[in-house]
PDB file of all heavy atoms in Angstrom:
ATOM      1  N   GLN D 245      85.201 103.503 103.979  1.00 89.00           N
ATOM      2  CA  GLN D 245      85.651 104.854 103.658  1.00 89.00           C
ATOM      3  C   GLN D 245      86.029 104.958 102.179  1.00 89.00           C
ATOM      4  O   GLN D 245      87.203 105.097 101.829  1.00 89.00           O
ATOM      5  CB  GLN D 245      86.851 105.227 104.538  1.00 89.00           C
ATOM      6  CG  GLN D 245      86.537 105.308 106.026  1.00 89.00           C
ATOM      7  CD  GLN D 245      87.786 105.597 106.843  1.00 89.00           C
ATOM      8  OE1 GLN D 245      88.682 104.767 106.940  1.00 89.00           O
ATOM      9  NE2 GLN D 245      87.841 106.779 107.436  1.00 89.00           N
ATOM     10  N   PRO D 246      85.030 104.903 101.295  1.00 89.00           N
ATOM     11  CA  PRO D 246      85.332 104.968  99.863  1.00 89.00           C
ATOM     12  C   PRO D 246      86.048 106.255  99.456  1.00 89.00           C
ATOM     13  O   PRO D 246      86.831 106.252  98.504  1.00 89.00           O
ATOM     14  CB  PRO D 246      83.957 104.852  99.209  1.00 89.00           C
ATOM     15  CG  PRO D 246      82.967 105.226 100.271  1.00 89.00           C
ATOM     16  CD  PRO D 246      83.579 104.779 101.556  1.00 89.00           C
ATOM     17  N   ALA D 247      85.802 107.343 100.176  1.00 91.00           N
ATOM     18  CA  ALA D 247      86.495 108.597  99.850  1.00 91.00           C
ATOM     19  C   ALA D 247      87.988 108.474 100.116  1.00 91.00           C
ATOM     20  O   ALA D 247      88.813 108.982  99.354  1.00 91.00           O
ATOM     21  CB  ALA D 247      85.897 109.749 100.658  1.00 91.00           C
ATOM     22  N   LYS D 248      88.349 107.805 101.212  1.00 92.00           N
ATOM     23  CA  LYS D 248      89.771 107.612 101.526  1.00 92.00           C
ATOM     24  C   LYS D 248      90.431 106.738 100.471  1.00 92.00           C
ATOM     25  O   LYS D 248      91.534 107.050 100.002  1.00 92.00           O
ATOM     26  CB  LYS D 248      89.934 106.985 102.907  1.00 92.00           C
ATOM     27  CG  LYS D 248      91.392 106.714 103.286  1.00 92.00           C
ATOM     28  CD  LYS D 248      91.521 105.987 104.621  1.00 92.00           C
ATOM     29  CE  LYS D 248      91.238 106.918 105.765  1.00 92.00           C
ATOM     30  NZ  LYS D 248      91.523 106.279 107.081  1.00 92.00           N
ATOM     31  N   LEU D 249      89.763 105.651 100.072  1.00 90.00           N
ATOM     32  CA  LEU D 249      90.326 104.783  99.035  1.00 90.00           C
ATOM     33  C   LEU D 249      90.499 105.550  97.730  1.00 90.00           C
ATOM     34  O   LEU D 249      91.527 105.422  97.055  1.00 90.00           O
ATOM     35  CB  LEU D 249      89.431 103.571  98.814  1.00 90.00           C
ATOM     36  CG  LEU D 249      89.923 102.604  97.736  1.00 90.00           C
ATOM     37  CD1 LEU D 249      91.184 101.879  98.199  1.00 90.00           C
ATOM     38  CD2 LEU D 249      88.841 101.600  97.363  1.00 90.00           C
ATOM     39  N   ALA D 250      89.503 106.356  97.382  1.00 90.00           N
ATOM     40  CA  ALA D 250      89.593 107.122  96.141  1.00 90.00           C
ATOM     41  C   ALA D 250      90.759 108.107  96.190  1.00 90.00           C
ATOM     42  O   ALA D 250      91.465 108.300  95.189  1.00 90.00           O
ATOM     43  CB  ALA D 250      88.283 107.858  95.892  1.00 90.00           C
ATOM     44  N   ALA D 251      90.988 108.730  97.358  1.00 91.00           N
ATOM     45  CA  ALA D 251      92.112 109.656  97.490  1.00 91.00           C
ATOM     46  C   ALA D 251      93.447 108.905  97.447  1.00 91.00           C
ATOM     47  O   ALA D 251      94.411 109.370  96.837  1.00 91.00           O
ATOM     48  CB  ALA D 251      91.989 110.443  98.791  1.00 91.00           C
ATOM     49  N   MET D 252      93.498 107.740  98.086  1.00 90.00           N
ATOM     50  CA  MET D 252      94.727 106.938  98.077  1.00 90.00           C
ATOM     51  C   MET D 252      95.153 106.603  96.658  1.00 90.00           C
ATOM     52  O   MET D 252      96.333 106.654  96.310  1.00 90.00           O
ATOM     53  CB  MET D 252      94.504 105.649  98.876  1.00 90.00           C
ATOM     54  CG  MET D 252      94.420 105.845 100.378  1.00 90.00           C
ATOM     55  SD  MET D 252      93.621 104.444 101.241  1.00 90.00           S
ATOM     56  CE  MET D 252      94.620 103.055 100.712  1.00 90.00           C
ATOM     57  N   GLU D 253      94.178 106.275  95.832  1.00 89.00           N
ATOM     58  CA  GLU D 253      94.462 105.848  94.465  1.00 89.00           C
ATOM     59  C   GLU D 253      94.272 106.965  93.443  1.00 89.00           C
ATOM     60  O   GLU D 253      94.405 106.716  92.249  1.00 89.00           O
ATOM     61  CB  GLU D 253      93.558 104.673  94.091  1.00 89.00           C
ATOM     62  CG  GLU D 253      93.933 103.361  94.753  1.00 89.00           C
ATOM     63  CD  GLU D 253      95.258 102.823  94.235  1.00 89.00           C
ATOM     64  OE1 GLU D 253      95.643 103.149  93.091  1.00 89.00           O
ATOM     65  OE2 GLU D 253      95.934 102.097  94.983  1.00 89.00           O
ATOM     66  N   ALA D 254      93.947 108.188  93.930  1.00 88.00           N
ATOM     67  CA  ALA D 254      93.630 109.284  93.008  1.00 88.00           C
ATOM     68  C   ALA D 254      92.599 108.806  91.991  1.00 88.00           C
ATOM     69  O   ALA D 254      92.724 109.037  90.777  1.00 88.00           O
ATOM     70  CB  ALA D 254      94.882 109.808  92.318  1.00 88.00           C
ATOM     71  N   HIS D 255      91.555 108.158  92.516  1.00 88.00           N
ATOM     72  CA  HIS D 255      90.511 107.549  91.675  1.00 88.00           C
ATOM     73  C   HIS D 255      89.339 108.544  91.599  1.00 88.00           C
ATOM     74  O   HIS D 255      88.491 108.604  92.480  1.00 88.00           O
ATOM     75  CB  HIS D 255      90.068 106.231  92.305  1.00 88.00           C
ATOM     76  CG  HIS D 255      89.077 105.463  91.505  1.00 88.00           C
ATOM     77  ND1 HIS D 255      89.336 104.995  90.233  1.00 88.00           N
ATOM     78  CD2 HIS D 255      87.805 105.077  91.798  1.00 88.00           C
ATOM     79  CE1 HIS D 255      88.286 104.346  89.783  1.00 88.00           C
ATOM     80  NE2 HIS D 255      87.343 104.387  90.710  1.00 88.00           N
ATOM     81  N   PHE D 256      89.299 109.313  90.528  1.00 89.00           N
ATOM     82  CA  PHE D 256      88.339 110.418  90.437  1.00 89.00           C
ATOM     83  C   PHE D 256      86.969 109.980  89.928  1.00 89.00           C
ATOM     84  O   PHE D 256      85.950 110.595  90.270  1.00 89.00           O
ATOM     85  CB  PHE D 256      88.890 111.514  89.525  1.00 89.00           C
ATOM     86  CG  PHE D 256      90.063 112.248  90.118  1.00 89.00           C
ATOM     87  CD1 PHE D 256      91.359 111.963  89.717  1.00 89.00           C
ATOM     88  CD2 PHE D 256      89.877 113.227  91.087  1.00 89.00           C
ATOM     89  CE1 PHE D 256      92.447 112.634  90.257  1.00 89.00           C
ATOM     90  CE2 PHE D 256      90.951 113.907  91.632  1.00 89.00           C
ATOM     91  CZ  PHE D 256      92.249 113.613  91.218  1.00 89.00           C
ATOM     92  N   HIS D 257      86.913 108.933  89.128  1.00 88.00           N
ATOM     93  CA  HIS D 257      85.656 108.587  88.451  1.00 88.00           C
ATOM     94  C   HIS D 257      85.208 107.180  88.839  1.00 88.00           C
ATOM     95  O   HIS D 257      85.985 106.225  88.763  1.00 88.00           O
ATOM     96  CB  HIS D 257      85.820 108.678  86.938  1.00 88.00           C
ATOM     97  CG  HIS D 257      86.307 110.018  86.468  1.00 88.00           C
ATOM     98  ND1 HIS D 257      85.505 111.141  86.474  1.00 88.00           N
ATOM     99  CD2 HIS D 257      87.528 110.416  85.999  1.00 88.00           C
ATOM    100  CE1 HIS D 257      86.207 112.171  86.025  1.00 88.00           C
ATOM    101  NE2 HIS D 257      87.426 111.758  85.725  1.00 88.00           N
ATOM    102  N   THR D 258      83.949 107.071  89.239  1.00 89.00           N
ATOM    103  CA  THR D 258      83.371 105.775  89.561  1.00 89.00           C
ATOM    104  C   THR D 258      83.325 104.911  88.299  1.00 89.00           C
ATOM    105  O   THR D 258      82.851 105.351  87.254  1.00 89.00           O
ATOM    106  CB  THR D 258      81.942 105.935  90.115  1.00 89.00           C
ATOM    107  OG1 THR D 258      81.993 106.760  91.292  1.00 89.00           O
ATOM    108  CG2 THR D 258      81.330 104.593  90.457  1.00 89.00           C
ATOM    109  N   GLU D 259      83.849 103.699  88.405  1.00 87.00           N
ATOM    110  CA  GLU D 259      83.875 102.834  87.226  1.00 87.00           C
ATOM    111  C   GLU D 259      84.097 101.378  87.621  1.00 87.00           C
ATOM    112  O   GLU D 259      84.599 101.075  88.709  1.00 87.00           O
ATOM    113  CB  GLU D 259      84.990 103.267  86.267  1.00 87.00           C
ATOM    114  CG  GLU D 259      86.384 103.227  86.864  1.00 87.00           C
ATOM    115  CD  GLU D 259      87.444 103.712  85.898  1.00 87.00           C
ATOM    116  OE1 GLU D 259      87.421 103.283  84.737  1.00 87.00           O
ATOM    117  OE2 GLU D 259      88.300 104.541  86.309  1.00 87.00           O
ATOM    118  N   LYS D 260      83.689 100.505  86.710  1.00 87.00           N
ATOM    119  CA  LYS D 260      83.993  99.097  86.843  1.00 87.00           C
ATOM    120  C   LYS D 260      85.360  98.821  86.217  1.00 87.00           C
ATOM    121  O   LYS D 260      85.860  99.619  85.438  1.00 87.00           O
ATOM    122  CB  LYS D 260      82.919  98.249  86.166  1.00 87.00           C
ATOM    123  CG  LYS D 260      81.535  98.374  86.813  1.00 87.00           C
ATOM    124  CD  LYS D 260      80.518  97.492  86.113  1.00 87.00           C
ATOM    125  CE  LYS D 260      79.151  97.601  86.788  1.00 87.00           C
ATOM    126  NZ  LYS D 260      78.136  96.755  86.108  1.00 87.00           N
ATOM    127  N   LYS D 261      85.936  97.687  86.588  1.00 87.00           N
ATOM    128  CA  LYS D 261      87.295  97.348  86.138  1.00 87.00           C
ATOM    129  C   LYS D 261      88.254  98.511  86.404  1.00 87.00           C
ATOM    130  O   LYS D 261      89.058  98.895  85.555  1.00 87.00           O
ATOM    131  CB  LYS D 261      87.307  96.990  84.657  1.00 87.00           C
ATOM    132  CG  LYS D 261      86.488  95.755  84.305  1.00 87.00           C
ATOM    133  CD  LYS D 261      86.586  95.432  82.825  1.00 87.00           C
ATOM    134  CE  LYS D 261      85.785  94.182  82.481  1.00 87.00           C
ATOM    135  NZ  LYS D 261      85.859  93.839  81.036  1.00 87.00           N
ATOM    136  N   ALA D 262      88.157  99.048  87.607  1.00 87.00           N
ATOM    137  CA  ALA D 262      88.962 100.215  87.958  1.00 87.00           C
ATOM    138  C   ALA D 262      90.446  99.853  87.974  1.00 87.00           C
ATOM    139  O   ALA D 262      90.837  98.820  88.512  1.00 87.00           O
ATOM    140  CB  ALA D 262      88.540 100.747  89.325  1.00 87.00           C
ATOM    141  N   PRO D 263      91.271 100.690  87.376  1.00 87.00           N
ATOM    142  CA  PRO D 263      92.712 100.385  87.309  1.00 87.00           C
ATOM    143  C   PRO D 263      93.429 100.740  88.604  1.00 87.00           C
ATOM    144  O   PRO D 263      93.036 101.668  89.324  1.00 87.00           O
ATOM    145  CB  PRO D 263      93.200 101.278  86.168  1.00 87.00           C
ATOM    146  CG  PRO D 263      92.287 102.467  86.224  1.00 87.00           C
ATOM    147  CD  PRO D 263      90.933 101.931  86.646  1.00 87.00           C
ATOM    148  N   LEU D 264      94.480 100.009  88.900  1.00 87.00           N
ATOM    149  CA  LEU D 264      95.370 100.362  90.000  1.00 87.00           C
ATOM    150  C   LEU D 264      96.359 101.401  89.484  1.00 87.00           C
ATOM    151  O   LEU D 264      97.000 101.200  88.453  1.00 87.00           O
ATOM    152  CB  LEU D 264      96.124  99.127  90.506  1.00 87.00           C
ATOM    153  CG  LEU D 264      97.104  99.364  91.654  1.00 87.00           C
ATOM    154  CD1 LEU D 264      96.349  99.663  92.937  1.00 87.00           C
ATOM    155  CD2 LEU D 264      98.025  98.166  91.841  1.00 87.00           C
ATOM    156  N   VAL D 265      96.462 102.509  90.191  1.00 87.00           N
ATOM    157  CA  VAL D 265      97.332 103.613  89.783  1.00 87.00           C
ATOM    158  C   VAL D 265      98.653 103.512  90.525  1.00 87.00           C
ATOM    159  O   VAL D 265      98.686 103.469  91.752  1.00 87.00           O
ATOM    160  CB  VAL D 265      96.669 104.973  90.061  1.00 87.00           C
ATOM    161  CG1 VAL D 265      97.626 106.115  89.744  1.00 87.00           C
ATOM    162  CG2 VAL D 265      95.390 105.110  89.253  1.00 87.00           C
ATOM    163  N   ILE D 266      99.734 103.465  89.778  1.00 88.00           N
ATOM    164  CA  ILE D 266     101.075 103.425  90.365  1.00 88.00           C
ATOM    165  C   ILE D 266     101.784 104.719  90.008  1.00 88.00           C
ATOM    166  O   ILE D 266     101.987 105.026  88.826  1.00 88.00           O
ATOM    167  CB  ILE D 266     101.877 102.214  89.848  1.00 88.00           C
ATOM    168  CG1 ILE D 266     101.155 100.904  90.212  1.00 88.00           C
ATOM    169  CG2 ILE D 266     103.288 102.219  90.426  1.00 88.00           C
ATOM    170  CD1 ILE D 266     101.825  99.674  89.650  1.00 88.00           C
ATOM    171  N   GLY D 267     102.164 105.478  91.048  1.00 85.00           N
ATOM    172  CA  GLY D 267     102.835 106.754  90.818  1.00 85.00           C
ATOM    173  C   GLY D 267     101.857 107.800  90.313  1.00 85.00           C
ATOM    174  O   GLY D 267     100.659 107.771  90.584  1.00 85.00           O
ATOM    175  N   GLY D 268     102.354 108.730  89.563  1.00 85.00           N
ATOM    176  CA  GLY D 268     101.501 109.755  88.973  1.00 85.00           C
ATOM    177  C   GLY D 268     101.370 111.006  89.815  1.00 85.00           C
ATOM    178  O   GLY D 268     101.655 111.014  91.013  1.00 85.00           O
TER     179      GLY D 268
END
Side-chain angles (χ1 to χ4, degrees):
Q245 296 176 292
K248 178 185 286 187
L249 179 69
M252 288 161 56
E253 287 292 334
H255 184 61
F256 290 102
H257 304 287
T258 301
E259 60 182 313
K260 296 181 179 179
K261 297 182 179 180
L264 179 71
V265 175
I266 300 176

